[in-house]
Amino acid sequence: MARRCLRISLPTALLFSLLAAVTGHDSAQKLVETQPAKLAAMEAHFESSDEPTGLYLFGWPDVERERVVGGVRLPRLLSFLVYNDLSRPVPGLDQIPQEDRPPVWLPFQTFHLMVGIGTILIVVAGLANWFGSADAWNAPLVAVDPRRDAAGGDGRESRGLDHRRGRSTTMDRLPVGAGWRADDGAANVRGTE
């Protein structure tokens, strides 16, 4: 049953985590048109320039000095995400009047946390599909009990039914001390042979 669930859940997790990245890319492109100050704050992009704009993976925005402390920046990536163009610059916070600027630190950190979690989900879902595919895709859809098959049964059990006798096999798996005794009419509960 678990393997059958994995056949559905692993590809679904990968598909929807990738779709979340696609919708995030689309949101960034809409954001530069509708709310450029918000985009600049989420990326701690303080100064505009004629150069393509890089994207910070992480860092600590220092609003007073208008820089990111300890940040790792990937060159040209913000330009690509916003415009699908590696050479086009993105407007910074310096083009927004001081009184209209949004806060920077909290949007920067929460946005990067969200992107980090999404990236981890894509990686985990991809690895789970890659490494789990051999077990999950090759598993039989009907549970097979090797003990019953070795004992002469047909080996098919689905939903707890013994197809040879038309009765539930749940009682066959209960230990004797599970609330009833074998001499208390167990033959009536288990059916007659």
mmCIF file of all heavy atoms in Angstrom, residues 4-6 42 46 52 59 66 68 73 76 84 113 117 127-128 130 136 151 167 176 180 185 188:
data_model
loop_
_atom_site.group_PDB
_atom_site.id
_atom_site.type_symbol
_atom_site.label_atom_id
_atom_site.label_comp_id
_atom_site.label_asym_id
_atom_site.label_seq_id
_atom_site.Cartn_x
_atom_site.Cartn_y
_atom_site.Cartn_z
ATOM 1 N N ARG A 4 2.372 1.875 -3.393
ATOM 2 C CA ARG A 4 1.391 2.393 -4.336
ATOM 3 C C ARG A 4 1.174 3.897 -4.089
ATOM 4 O O ARG A 4 1.037 4.676 -5.020
ATOM 5 C CB ARG A 4 0.076 1.637 -4.212
ATOM 6 C CG ARG A 4 -0.896 2.032 -5.264
ATOM 7 C CD ARG A 4 -2.144 1.219 -5.332
ATOM 8 N NE ARG A 4 -2.354 0.294 -4.255
ATOM 9 C CZ ARG A 4 -3.496 -0.325 -4.052
ATOM 10 N NH1 ARG A 4 -4.504 -0.105 -4.854
ATOM 11 N NH2 ARG A 4 -3.645 -1.156 -3.057
ATOM 12 N N CYS A 5 1.173 4.297 -2.835
ATOM 13 C CA CYS A 5 1.038 5.721 -2.506
ATOM 14 C C CYS A 5 2.239 6.513 -2.996
ATOM 15 O O CYS A 5 2.095 7.649 -3.452
ATOM 16 C CB CYS A 5 0.858 5.897 -1.004
ATOM 17 S SG CYS A 5 -0.719 5.277 -0.396
ATOM 18 N N LEU A 6 3.429 5.912 -2.914
ATOM 19 C CA LEU A 6 4.629 6.600 -3.394
ATOM 20 C C LEU A 6 4.597 6.804 -4.899
ATOM 21 O O LEU A 6 5.137 7.783 -5.408
ATOM 22 C CB LEU A 6 5.882 5.824 -3.000
ATOM 23 C CG LEU A 6 6.262 5.880 -1.532
ATOM 24 C CD1 LEU A 6 7.462 4.991 -1.270
ATOM 25 C CD2 LEU A 6 6.551 7.296 -1.098
ATOM 26 N N MET A 42 12.951 43.196 -1.406
ATOM 27 C CA MET A 42 13.097 41.741 -1.215
ATOM 28 C C MET A 42 14.485 41.264 -1.606
ATOM 29 O O MET A 42 14.967 40.271 -1.069
ATOM 30 C CB MET A 42 12.042 40.985 -2.032
ATOM 31 C CG MET A 42 10.670 41.105 -1.448
ATOM 32 S SD MET A 42 9.358 40.171 -2.291
ATOM 33 C CE MET A 42 10.001 39.656 -3.813
ATOM 34 N N PHE A 46 19.943 48.115 -3.406
ATOM 35 C CA PHE A 46 19.924 49.509 -2.987
ATOM 36 C C PHE A 46 20.266 50.477 -4.111
ATOM 37 O O PHE A 46 19.651 51.531 -4.233
ATOM 38 C CB PHE A 46 20.889 49.719 -1.806
ATOM 39 C CG PHE A 46 20.457 49.016 -0.559
ATOM 40 C CD1 PHE A 46 21.101 47.872 -0.130
ATOM 41 C CD2 PHE A 46 19.395 49.503 0.192
ATOM 42 C CE1 PHE A 46 20.711 47.224 1.027
ATOM 43 C CE2 PHE A 46 18.988 48.867 1.354
ATOM 44 C CZ PHE A 46 19.646 47.718 1.768
ATOM 45 N N PRO A 52 24.125 44.652 -15.396
ATOM 46 C CA PRO A 52 23.128 43.645 -15.018
ATOM 47 C C PRO A 52 23.134 43.436 -13.500
ATOM 48 O O PRO A 52 24.150 43.603 -12.836
ATOM 49 C CB PRO A 52 23.598 42.382 -15.737
ATOM 50 C CG PRO A 52 24.528 42.850 -16.791
ATOM 51 C CD PRO A 52 25.118 44.141 -16.325
ATOM 52 N N GLY A 59 22.319 36.753 3.074
ATOM 53 C CA GLY A 59 23.086 37.885 3.564
ATOM 54 C C GLY A 59 22.325 38.612 4.657
ATOM 55 O O GLY A 59 21.250 38.178 5.093
ATOM 56 N N GLU A 66 23.333 50.888 3.296
ATOM 57 C CA GLU A 66 22.777 50.458 2.009
ATOM 58 C C GLU A 66 23.672 49.419 1.322
ATOM 59 O O GLU A 66 24.120 49.582 0.187
ATOM 60 C CB GLU A 66 22.523 51.651 1.090
ATOM 61 C CG GLU A 66 21.435 52.567 1.604
ATOM 62 C CD GLU A 66 21.016 53.615 0.606
ATOM 63 O OE1 GLU A 66 21.730 53.829 -0.404
ATOM 64 O OE2 GLU A 66 19.964 54.221 0.826
ATOM 65 N N VAL A 68 24.662 44.820 1.653
ATOM 66 C CA VAL A 68 24.369 43.508 2.238
ATOM 67 C C VAL A 68 25.668 42.963 2.812
ATOM 68 O O VAL A 68 26.666 42.808 2.101
ATOM 69 C CB VAL A 68 23.778 42.542 1.194
ATOM 70 C CG1 VAL A 68 23.537 41.179 1.804
ATOM 71 C CG2 VAL A 68 22.488 43.111 0.632
ATOM 72 N N ARG A 73 26.439 36.715 -3.729
ATOM 73 C CA ARG A 73 25.664 37.259 -4.848
ATOM 74 C C ARG A 73 26.021 36.534 -6.137
ATOM 75 O O ARG A 73 27.197 36.402 -6.478
ATOM 76 C CB ARG A 73 25.958 38.751 -4.972
ATOM 77 C CG ARG A 73 25.106 39.449 -5.978
ATOM 78 C CD ARG A 73 25.380 40.934 -5.935
ATOM 79 N NE ARG A 73 24.391 41.626 -6.744
ATOM 80 C CZ ARG A 73 24.117 42.890 -6.613
ATOM 81 N NH1 ARG A 73 24.742 43.610 -5.714
ATOM 82 N NH2 ARG A 73 23.226 43.445 -7.384
ATOM 83 N N ARG A 76 24.164 38.686 -12.428
ATOM 84 C CA ARG A 76 23.196 38.687 -13.535
ATOM 85 C C ARG A 76 21.914 37.893 -13.279
ATOM 86 O O ARG A 76 21.018 37.902 -14.115
ATOM 87 C CB ARG A 76 23.842 38.193 -14.833
ATOM 88 C CG ARG A 76 25.020 38.993 -15.283
ATOM 89 C CD ARG A 76 25.642 38.386 -16.528
ATOM 90 N NE ARG A 76 26.792 39.135 -16.945
ATOM 91 C CZ ARG A 76 26.790 40.000 -17.966
ATOM 92 N NH1 ARG A 76 25.701 40.213 -18.633
ATOM 93 N NH2 ARG A 76 27.894 40.639 -18.279
ATOM 94 N N ASN A 84 14.176 37.955 -18.094
ATOM 95 C CA ASN A 84 14.642 36.893 -19.001
ATOM 96 C C ASN A 84 15.775 37.398 -19.891
ATOM 97 O O ASN A 84 15.908 37.004 -21.044
ATOM 98 C CB ASN A 84 13.510 36.337 -19.865
ATOM 99 C CG ASN A 84 12.520 35.534 -19.069
ATOM 100 O OD1 ASN A 84 12.837 34.985 -18.027
ATOM 101 N ND2 ASN A 84 11.287 35.471 -19.549
ATOM 102 N N LEU A 113 14.146 32.934 2.767
ATOM 103 C CA LEU A 113 13.741 31.712 3.465
ATOM 104 C C LEU A 113 12.746 30.919 2.623
ATOM 105 O O LEU A 113 12.860 29.694 2.481
ATOM 106 C CB LEU A 113 13.147 32.056 4.830
ATOM 107 C CG LEU A 113 12.636 30.882 5.660
ATOM 108 C CD1 LEU A 113 13.792 29.974 6.068
ATOM 109 C CD2 LEU A 113 11.889 31.390 6.881
ATOM 110 N N ILE A 117 13.426 27.182 1.134
ATOM 111 C CA ILE A 117 12.544 26.033 1.412
ATOM 112 C C ILE A 117 12.046 25.424 0.107
ATOM 113 O O ILE A 117 12.017 24.199 -0.050
ATOM 114 C CB ILE A 117 11.383 26.460 2.325
ATOM 115 C CG1 ILE A 117 11.894 26.761 3.726
ATOM 116 C CG2 ILE A 117 10.301 25.376 2.375
ATOM 117 C CD1 ILE A 117 10.864 27.393 4.646
ATOM 118 N N LEU A 127 15.309 13.867 -5.635
ATOM 119 C CA LEU A 127 16.084 12.720 -5.142
ATOM 120 C C LEU A 127 15.187 11.550 -4.768
ATOM 121 O O LEU A 127 15.528 10.397 -5.013
ATOM 122 C CB LEU A 127 16.937 13.142 -3.946
ATOM 123 C CG LEU A 127 18.116 14.065 -4.259
ATOM 124 C CD1 LEU A 127 18.788 14.525 -2.977
ATOM 125 C CD2 LEU A 127 19.107 13.377 -5.177
ATOM 126 N N ALA A 128 14.052 11.841 -4.172
ATOM 127 C CA ALA A 128 13.119 10.765 -3.801
ATOM 128 C C ALA A 128 12.597 10.060 -5.043
ATOM 129 O O ALA A 128 12.466 8.836 -5.056
ATOM 130 C CB ALA A 128 11.963 11.331 -2.983
ATOM 131 N N TRP A 130 14.230 9.916 -7.925
ATOM 132 C CA TRP A 130 15.378 9.241 -8.540
ATOM 133 C C TRP A 130 15.719 7.946 -7.817
ATOM 134 O O TRP A 130 15.835 6.894 -8.429
ATOM 135 C CB TRP A 130 16.575 10.179 -8.546
ATOM 136 C CG TRP A 130 17.812 9.562 -9.118
ATOM 137 C CD1 TRP A 130 18.816 8.949 -8.441
ATOM 138 C CD2 TRP A 130 18.156 9.475 -10.493
ATOM 139 N NE1 TRP A 130 19.775 8.501 -9.305
ATOM 140 C CE2 TRP A 130 19.383 8.809 -10.582
ATOM 141 C CE3 TRP A 130 17.536 9.895 -11.659
ATOM 142 C CZ2 TRP A 130 20.012 8.563 -11.782
ATOM 143 C CZ3 TRP A 130 18.166 9.654 -12.855
ATOM 144 C CH2 TRP A 130 19.387 8.991 -12.912
ATOM 145 N N ALA A 136 9.547 1.820 -5.957
ATOM 146 C CA ALA A 136 8.155 2.249 -6.062
ATOM 147 C C ALA A 136 7.520 1.835 -7.385
ATOM 148 O O ALA A 136 6.382 1.387 -7.412
ATOM 149 C CB ALA A 136 8.057 3.765 -5.901
ATOM 150 N N ALA A 151 2.466 -21.668 1.617
ATOM 151 C CA ALA A 151 1.598 -22.662 2.260
ATOM 152 C C ALA A 151 0.578 -23.240 1.291
ATOM 153 O O ALA A 151 -0.291 -23.994 1.685
ATOM 154 C CB ALA A 151 0.885 -22.034 3.454
ATOM 155 N N ARG A 167 -13.161 -15.291 2.941
ATOM 156 C CA ARG A 167 -13.307 -14.747 4.287
ATOM 157 C C ARG A 167 -12.129 -13.838 4.589
ATOM 158 O O ARG A 167 -11.119 -13.853 3.904
ATOM 159 C CB ARG A 167 -13.387 -15.867 5.322
ATOM 160 C CG ARG A 167 -12.123 -16.700 5.418
ATOM 161 C CD ARG A 167 -12.315 -17.809 6.446
ATOM 162 N NE ARG A 167 -11.168 -18.692 6.455
ATOM 163 C CZ ARG A 167 -10.087 -18.498 7.191
ATOM 164 N NH1 ARG A 167 -10.009 -17.472 7.983
ATOM 165 N NH2 ARG A 167 -9.091 -19.348 7.161
ATOM 166 N N VAL A 176 -3.070 -15.224 19.713
ATOM 167 C CA VAL A 176 -4.112 -15.878 20.523
ATOM 168 C C VAL A 176 -4.516 -15.002 21.697
ATOM 169 O O VAL A 176 -5.674 -14.949 22.062
ATOM 170 C CB VAL A 176 -3.618 -17.267 21.014
ATOM 171 C CG1 VAL A 176 -4.628 -17.905 21.941
ATOM 172 C CG2 VAL A 176 -3.335 -18.158 19.828
ATOM 173 N N TRP A 180 -9.475 -12.660 22.724
ATOM 174 C CA TRP A 180 -10.362 -13.813 22.648
ATOM 175 C C TRP A 180 -9.519 -15.061 22.751
ATOM 176 O O TRP A 180 -8.336 -15.063 22.485
ATOM 177 C CB TRP A 180 -11.198 -13.794 21.362
ATOM 178 C CG TRP A 180 -10.387 -13.761 20.089
ATOM 179 C CD1 TRP A 180 -9.910 -12.672 19.472
ATOM 180 C CD2 TRP A 180 -9.959 -14.888 19.305
ATOM 181 N NE1 TRP A 180 -9.207 -13.006 18.364
ATOM 182 C CE2 TRP A 180 -9.230 -14.377 18.225
ATOM 183 C CE3 TRP A 180 -10.119 -16.264 19.405
ATOM 184 C CZ2 TRP A 180 -8.672 -15.183 17.268
ATOM 185 C CZ3 TRP A 180 -9.564 -17.054 18.429
ATOM 186 C CH2 TRP A 180 -8.850 -16.517 17.373
ATOM 187 N N GLY A 185 -15.397 -20.405 20.994
ATOM 188 C CA GLY A 185 -16.173 -20.313 19.775
ATOM 189 C C GLY A 185 -15.412 -19.656 18.651
ATOM 190 O O GLY A 185 -16.027 -19.011 17.796
ATOM 191 N N ASN A 188 -16.579 -20.393 15.183
ATOM 192 C CA ASN A 188 -17.713 -19.667 14.650
ATOM 193 C C ASN A 188 -17.283 -18.288 14.121
ATOM 194 O O ASN A 188 -17.849 -17.792 13.165
ATOM 195 C CB ASN A 188 -18.774 -19.474 15.747
ATOM 196 C CG ASN A 188 -19.426 -20.780 16.114
ATOM 197 O OD1 ASN A 188 -19.440 -21.697 15.310
ATOM 198 N ND2 ASN A 188 -19.929 -20.868 17.325
#
